[in-house]
Amino acid sequence: GHRLGIISEVDLSVEDLDRIIDEREQLIGEKVAGLAIDSAGSLATQDGNEIHALIYNSKYVKELAKRKNIAIVTLSHASGKPSGDTRDVASFVRGGMKIIDNCDAYISVSKILDTERSTIATGKGAINEEDKIYKPGEIYLRFVNKRGNGETINQMLKLDEETLTLNFQDANDF
């Protein structure tokens, strides 16, 4: 809806975000409910160092969210290359664990390994990356609430190609 802002501009400071929220609220005549930033790495750097900017900005974006009393979702990409079926990519987040420390919750999305069609290496039971086959249209979603109840929700979702919606899978399908 019109109460969610999506920002894809680059080199924005936290002050710019504050201004954008105010301008949006004036335009729509209502309080903004949320803001999505793609990506954390596109926010202004302090010294030309993207990692320092991610750490700095994550702290101040959180303060902005508290001050404005809105949800701010910031996409933060992985550094390195975790396996496509890695269930929790927190340790791969660009900017390190400080980004995770500064957030109230995070979501990991990964592919679902098709164990019936993938070639499993003998011995240790490991699967080589090139031998992995993933289930098309299926993802694993992990939501970690670091505040409040501290709950972690693990869910498998499947794409309905006719309606282009993601539907929850039965726990027996795991």
Side-chain angles (χ1 to χ4, degrees), residues 158-167:
K158 185 171 185 169
L159 176 67
D160 179 330
E161 293 183 20
E162 288 184 28
T163 62
L164 296 179
T165 57
L166 287 171
N167 299 304

Side-chain angles (χ1 to χ4, degrees), residues 63-79:
E63 289 175 4
L64 176 65
K66 286 180 180 178
R67 187 166 32 83
K68 295 285 191 179
N69 193 27
I70 65 170
I72 298 181
V73 175
T74 305
L75 300 179
S76 192
H77 301 278
S79 58

